[in-house]
Amino acid sequence: IMNANFAQTMSSLLWIVILVGRLSCAMLSKHIKKSKLLLFSGAGFAVCFVFLISARSLLPAALGIIGVGFFMAGLYPTTVADMGDTIKQYPLSMSFLLTFAGLGAIIMPSIVGTVADKIGIIGGMSCVVVAALLTFVSICINAYKKRKA
């Protein structure tokens, strides 16, 4: 959908949007429970992601990228903040969180690329869809457990 110049511009804009998203989460976290903020960010991420992958023209794709960047930006730091009690109770849990988050960040692009090479771009994007779905389901489970506690 995008030419190389516009894609480069979107990449630069994405970093600005991520910064704004992280700062927004930091400000909102003072007023909203972390689990609710995660649920809101996760829902926004899911909606924007679906909007992005279903886009067939430039403007919806660009808006989808901006939305995904904004809502995804605060997921990791808010998750770490939301785990505060667990980390205090089980200090080793932070090392597991960092390890698995780092492994996911390293391995996922390789998985997507390998699947895309073998099956095609639809297969590669399907891996991203599965990861996004698992992220949202995990956020929903967290919100449910925090609500019950």
Side-chain angles (χ1 to χ4, degrees), residues 47 57 115 120 123 130 132:
V47 167
S57 61
V115 171
V130 168

Side-chain angles (χ1 to χ4, degrees), residues 1-63:
I1 296 175
M2 295 179 195
N3 65 36
N5 287 337
F6 191 74
Q8 183 63 42
T9 301
M10 284 305 301
S11 177
S12 299
L13 178 61
L14 184 60
W15 283 107
I16 295 168
V17 170
I18 288 171
L19 176 64
V20 170
R22 288 226 170 151
L23 292 173
S24 298
C25 272
M27 289 188 326
L28 289 173
S29 69
K30 295 176 186 176
H31 308 288
I32 301 171
K33 285 178 54 176
K34 309 291 186 283
S35 58
K36 288 185 180 181
L37 184 57
L38 272 173
L39 192 57
F40 175 74
S41 295
F45 165 66
V47 167
C48 291
F49 185 75
V50 168
F51 189 71
L52 171 63
I53 63 172
S54 62
R56 299 289 177 248
S57 61
L58 189 61
L59 182 61
L63 292 174

Side-chain angles (χ1 to χ4, degrees), residues 45 108 126-136:
F45 165 66
M108 191 61 188
S126 295
C127 291
V128 177
V129 169
V130 168
L133 183 63
L134 288 173
T135 299
F136 186 64

